[in-house]
């Protein structure tokens, strides 16, 4: 149990860190190339999904990948939402946030399933 919790925490932390790195790089790209602001939200969603998948593939092992993945996906979405809200100064909750949570749980669950089924050393 303790090992599973540690895996979930590490996977969620990795997802948050990777997501923040993507956002920083994308912010620089927006500044350099004057991209339209309409592109920010969809691109950020893609970054969150990729980050959640990467966190799971790196840290989730053992069994119950779906459950571990869904939990760390949810945790990663909540933490990134809070961080982005604090950075932007607004924490508005809407139906889009519910979709974001669902996407995070699904992405985490799928990557958790894949992660526990990857042979070590393959």
């Amino acid at each position: 149990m303790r090992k599973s919790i540690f895996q979930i925490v590490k996977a969620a932390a990795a997802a948050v860190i990777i997501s923040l790195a993507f956002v920083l790089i994308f912010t620089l790209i927006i500044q350099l190339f004057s991209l339209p602001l309409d592109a920010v939200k969809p691109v950020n969603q893609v970054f969150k999904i990729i980050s959640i998948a990467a966190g799971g593939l790196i840290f989730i092992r053992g069994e119950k990948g779906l459950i571990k993945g869904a939990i760390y996906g949810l945790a990663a979405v909540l933490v990134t939402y809070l961080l982005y809200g604090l950075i932007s100064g607004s924490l508005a909750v809407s139906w889009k946030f519910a979709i974001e949570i669902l996407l995070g749980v699904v992405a985490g669950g799928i990557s958790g399933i894949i992660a526990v089924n990857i042979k070590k050393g393959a």
Side-chain angles (χ1 to χ4, degrees):
M1 178 72 163
R2 188 176 204 177
K3 190 175 185 181
S4 294
I5 292 170
F6 195 55
Q7 286 179 4
I8 291 167
V9 169
K10 289 191 303 186
V16 169
I17 291 168
I18 293 167
S19 179
L20 287 172
F22 277 145
V23 168
L24 287 173
I25 293 168
F26 188 56
T27 302
L28 289 172
I29 291 170
I30 288 173
Q31 295 295 322
L32 290 173
F33 298 107
S34 301
L35 295 176
L37 293 178
D38 296 343
V40 172
K41 289 206 183 254
V43 171
N44 280 342
Q45 291 303 322
V46 171
F47 288 159
K48 283 182 188 177
I49 292 169
I50 292 170
S51 300
I52 290 169
L57 291 174
I58 295 169
F59 289 109
I60 299 297
R61 295 289 177 257
E63 53 189 37
K64 298 184 183 177
L66 176 63
I67 295 168
K68 290 178 189 177
I71 293 170
Y72 91 79
L74 174 65
V77 168
L78 293 175
V79 171
T80 55
Y81 177 76
L82 288 173
L83 283 175
Y84 294 159
L86 291 173
I87 291 168
S88 70
S90 107
L91 284 171
V93 177
S94 69
W95 63 272
K96 292 178 184 178
F97 181 58
I99 293 172
E100 190 171 328
I101 288 174
L102 181 64
L103 285 173
V105 169
V106 169
I110 292 170
S111 67
I113 290 169
I114 293 169
V116 299
N117 287 299
I118 293 175
K119 300 267 188 234
K120 196 171 187 177

